[in-house]
Amino acid sequence: MKNLKFPKGFLLGGAGAANQFEGAFDQDKKGLSIADLKTWDEKLDRKKLDSSSLDLDREKYEESKNGNPKNIYPNRFGIDFYNKYKDDLILFKEVGLNCFRTSFAWTRFFPNGDEKNPNQLAIKHYKNLLTEAKKLNIEVVVTISHYESPIGLLEKQNTWLSKQTIHDYLRFVEILAKEYKDLVKYWMPFNEINCTVLSAFTGGGFLLEKNDLKAEEKKYQALHNQFVAQAMAKKIIKEIDPSAQVGCMIAAFSSYPATCKPEDVRANQLKSQLQMYMYFDMAAKGIYSPFILKYFKDENINLEITSQESDYLKKYTMDFLSFSYYMSSVTSANPENNQSGNIIIGEKNPYLSATEWGWQIDPQGLRILMNDLYDRYRLPLFISENGIGVDEKLDPKTLTVNDNYRIDYLKEHLKNLLLAIEDGVECIGYTMWTAIDLVSASTREMSKRYGLIYVDRNDDGSGSNKRFIKKSGKWFKEVSESNGSLLWKLE
Ligand code: BGP
């Protein structure tokens, strides 16, 4: 029987994102971000989801911006972490986190995205948060931009479609690095950078007009601008604090060929190159690989790339590779059985079970992926998101949630992570999604719950907003205290 433990200094924690849990959308001079315009859809069909749920078209955008009173904007209220962070950090400690990954809201520092001087209230707020976390020995890992670009930049320059946004973003990066260099060691310039190609609005912060024939080209241009910003962010952060560590964050869409038929294997190879490896190649090597250059050519995608940008991309590659991993999918040359997934569509895997939202649970897939990535890139890995979303209720008698399914999910994934480390993979951290229930990124539901801590808040914003530790929270603490040993104990 194995008894593998986390390596010394391993970051074991939980993750969240400002736009999904802070709320307080108009407090302390905060400006509107794209997340503040997203609405809850009461009629949402969980069986039929795809990446379009992440986008807003022009009409919906204008309606949201003008504030239709019938709309419910869940990201605007979140769970009020902005005002409750002190108590919440104590709860994070109670569920055993030694590390907490969150984003710092861009529109708190620069309400329109491009002001000359930053909002001092934001600087102070996050300094207080970091200081509180330090007192509790919680290492804060900062995502600089997590699906929350400023509306001001959308209106002015279509956000990431414009190279001007690189400069605006870098001013934000510089402020963060200067202000928090003594309190933050790990930085991730973008959350799930590959989302930009799936959703112009959520990932790239810009609107595409209907039937835009250049839509693909625009998304890849926005992505390229983000790649440059990611490299430049590393340059700036390292100049301010040479000991800081900067890593990418990519949604790892790992996929198996449906059969060993060569056509299926080839289809899967292509999909993996396009959805996953091109992003890791850029982060680790600073290049577009030959396959993606051919893809651009075949698809008539012509990007504006300067030679100075190419130099920066190669020079400022990432110190570690981080990724979210929720599920795996299946690819065949002739897809039949589509299954919803974390903002992508894949096919059904008969060997795996799936969540209510169609995300196929595959703990072994994590070990396979970690080995694969380490074999390709030889850089330390950081699993920055992993977890299970379930529509669950608080037991009114015990005031907890008996979420054994979450314990099973986390246990199996953590065991596979430790097995990958035993295989020889270097892994520096794991932040499960999420420490505490918050608003879902893809569906804006509160009822798609991931937390170790339950929050009494409903999809429409009603509820006491009180916190309750779930059974998984107590279990996570024991895992953390046993340094992983508990994972291998027989039930
Ligand atoms: C990732 C995002 C997170 C998050 C998570 C779960 O894609 O980085 O922001 O929310 O997935 O997804 P969802 O909230 O859509 O269930």
Side-chain angles (χ1 to χ4, degrees), residues 20 146 191-192 326 342 359 385 433 440-442 448 450:
Q20 289 171 260
H146 191 133
N191 181 62
E192 298 190 333
Y326 289 90
N342 182 9
W359 298 23
E385 288 183 28
W433 189 265
S440 151
S442 56
K448 189 181 187 188
Y450 285 87

Side-chain angles (χ1 to χ4, degrees), residues 265-276 291 295:
V265 177
R266 175 66 183 146
N268 187 58
Q269 184 179 47
L270 277 175
K271 184 167 156 191
S272 306
Q273 284 174 330
L274 205 57
Q275 291 194 338
M276 196 166 69
F291 74 83
Y295 176 80

Side-chain angles (χ1 to χ4, degrees), residues 342-356:
N342 182 9
I343 55 184
I344 52 156
I345 294 292
E347 288 166 61
K348 214 177 174 112
N349 186 333
Y351 303 102
L352 300 177
S353 62
T355 72
E356 200 179 329

Side-chain angles (χ1 to χ4, degrees), residues 174-239:
E174 193 177 344
I175 291 291
L176 296 187
K178 277 188 180 151
E179 291 291 337
Y180 309 129
K181 64 175 184 309
D182 298 329
L183 293 162
V184 178
K185 177 151 191 239
Y186 298 91
W187 300 91
M188 296 177 188
F190 289 95
N191 181 62
E192 298 190 333
I193 199 165
N194 38 349
C195 181
T196 299
V197 169
L198 297 165
S199 165
F201 188 73
T202 294
F206 66 98
L207 287 168
L208 277 173
E209 303 306 330
K210 260 184 207 142
N211 306 321
D212 185 336
L213 295 175
K214 288 282 178 192
E216 283 303 286
E217 184 174 276
K218 286 182 179 163
K219 290 195 222 168
Y220 279 104
Q221 182 64 59
L223 173 71
H224 172 76
N225 296 341
Q226 290 179 327
F227 279 151
V228 174
Q230 175 173 267
M232 298 296 292
K234 170 165 174 188
K235 177 179 186 294
I236 290 174
I237 293 169
K238 289 286 212 191
E239 278 167 6

Side-chain angles (χ1 to χ4, degrees), residues 268-424:
N268 187 58
Q269 184 179 47
L270 277 175
K271 184 167 156 191
S272 306
Q273 284 174 330
L274 205 57
Q275 291 194 338
M276 196 166 69
Y277 295 126
M278 76 164 281
Y279 302 90
F280 284 109
D281 284 347
M282 185 53 82
K285 302 177 186 166
I287 51 159
Y288 288 109
S289 300
F291 74 83
I292 191 74
L293 292 174
K294 174 173 183 297
Y295 176 80
F296 287 162
K297 200 163 162 231
D298 291 348
E299 300 296 316
N300 199 18
I301 292 173
N302 299 298
L303 303 187
E304 211 186 296
I305 303 176
T306 68
S307 61
Q308 195 192 32
E309 287 174 352
S310 300
D311 290 347
Y312 280 138
L313 290 172
K314 270 195 220 126
K315 194 161 173 203
Y316 300 105
T317 52
M318 297 293 107
D319 297 317
F320 62 91
L321 304 178
S322 113
F323 57 90
S324 58
Y325 176 84
Y326 289 90
M327 47 164 280
S328 63
S329 69
V330 169
T331 307
S332 68
N334 298 303
E336 279 165 8
N337 254 336
N338 272 347
Q339 174 94 2
S340 290
N342 182 9
I343 55 184
I344 52 156
I345 294 292
E347 288 166 61
K348 214 177 174 112
N349 186 333
Y351 303 102
L352 300 177
S353 62
T355 72
E356 200 179 329
W357 287 263
W359 298 23
Q360 305 187 108
I361 303 170
D362 182 12
Q364 264 201 71
L366 178 61
R367 180 182 183 180
I368 297 168
L369 176 67
M370 289 173 73
N371 272 279
D372 178 36
L373 293 175
Y374 194 67
D375 196 35
R376 279 172 182 259
Y377 304 110
R378 286 289 192 281
L379 282 171
L381 305 182
F382 188 130
I383 290 86
S384 43
E385 288 183 28
N386 170 246
I388 181 169
V390 179
D391 191 347
E392 54 198 4
K393 302 271 172 295
L394 187 77
D395 179 338
K397 281 198 199 121
T398 56
L399 293 182
T400 188
V401 180
N402 274 319
D403 53 347
N404 293 318
Y405 39 83
R406 182 164 292 106
I407 294 177
D408 288 346
Y409 181 100
L410 296 173
K411 183 184 353 162
E412 292 311 313
H413 283 82
L414 283 169
K415 279 165 90 170
N416 276 284
L417 178 150
L418 286 172
L419 287 167
I421 293 178
E422 190 191 34
D423 293 335

